Amino acid sequence: MLVRHEAPHTVETPAAPPLLPPDHLAMMARGVSVIVSSCGHDLTPSLMRAVGSQISPQGDRITVFLNRQQSTQLLRDVASTGRVAVVFSEPHSHRTVQVKSREARLREVTADDAPALVRYLQAMQDELGRIGFAPGFAAAVLAHRFDDLSAIEFTPSQAFDQTPGPNAGQPLQGNP
């Protein structure tokens, strides 16, 4: 007797289109000015400049690095609420993207993060050099002690064009 075994039938759910268009994602990944914000349960805001960022190739995983001592309230708010809003802005053009999540988490910074921090500093020195600032300016603004850094990781759930002009505030949707 021959018994035929068939593989179980599975239905694949089509992947959602990417949240960020490729050109916006490339700008963010290159290394531009990054401002991180959150709020407490009472909606009181907290805000701080990041000293680095790292974006996954698909833009589905974003990590921002903050000076822990300068960001105490912001880190407390993210740990408590999971909320984060991050603005990536290109100083020479003012092109700006805002991403948000309600599922952000804190993590320790490891030696594996060091290359991303070096790349980010170099990118910001190059970017600020385009508008006349010497490399030492970016180094001073982004100065940190490695042992005082904290990382916030998240998957963005919303993205907005925040470039000044008629499209400011409009939701972004990547190309399918």
Side-chain angles (χ1 to χ4, degrees):
M1 176 168 156
L2 182 63
V3 177
R4 188 177 268 172
H5 293 282
E6 293 184 24
H9 181 69
T10 59
V11 176
E12 291 194 24
T13 306
L19 187 61
L20 296 156
D23 59 329
H24 287 81
L25 184 58
M27 177 200 74
M28 294 165 57
R30 186 176 67 250
V32 295
S33 177
V34 179
I35 304 295
V36 183
S37 65
S38 187
C39 64
H41 291 286
D42 64 354
L43 302 182
T44 301
S46 52
L47 177 97
M48 184 55 59
R49 174 175 297 282
V51 298
S53 66
Q54 186 164 10
I55 316 296
S56 70
Q58 299 77 28
D60 59 344
R61 189 54 123 190
I62 296 175
T63 305
V64 292
F65 301 95
L66 298 160
N67 282 311
R68 188 178 300 120
Q69 287 184 343
Q70 295 175 352
S71 308
T72 305
Q73 187 60 52
L74 174 62
L75 296 169
R76 188 177 303 135
D77 290 343
V78 171
S80 174
T81 68
R83 292 180 181 176
V84 69
V86 180
V87 173
F88 294 84
S89 185
E90 187 176 62
H92 85 270
S93 69
H94 300 293
R95 186 173 184 207
T96 305
V97 173
Q98 180 187 49
V99 292
K100 294 182 177 185
S101 176
R102 290 180 174 256
E103 298 178 1
R105 70 174 190 86
L106 304 181
R107 73 163 175 82
E108 292 297 316
V109 177
T110 69
D112 292 341
D113 295 313
L117 290 159
V118 170
R119 279 191 305 273
Y120 181 80
L121 174 59
Q122 180 63 55
M124 281 297 290
Q125 288 174 322
D126 293 345
E127 177 62 29
L128 292 175
R130 294 180 73 174
I131 57 174
F133 288 93
F137 178 77
V141 169
L142 302 174
H144 60 271
R145 284 189 355 259
F146 193 80
D147 65 341
D148 183 45
L149 293 179
S150 189
I152 299 173
E153 283 188 338
F154 64 97
T155 297
S157 58
Q158 296 177 295
F160 301 91
D161 183 347
Q162 295 294 8
T163 304
N167 293 325
Q170 293 298 309
L172 290 173
Q173 186 64 41
N175 298 328

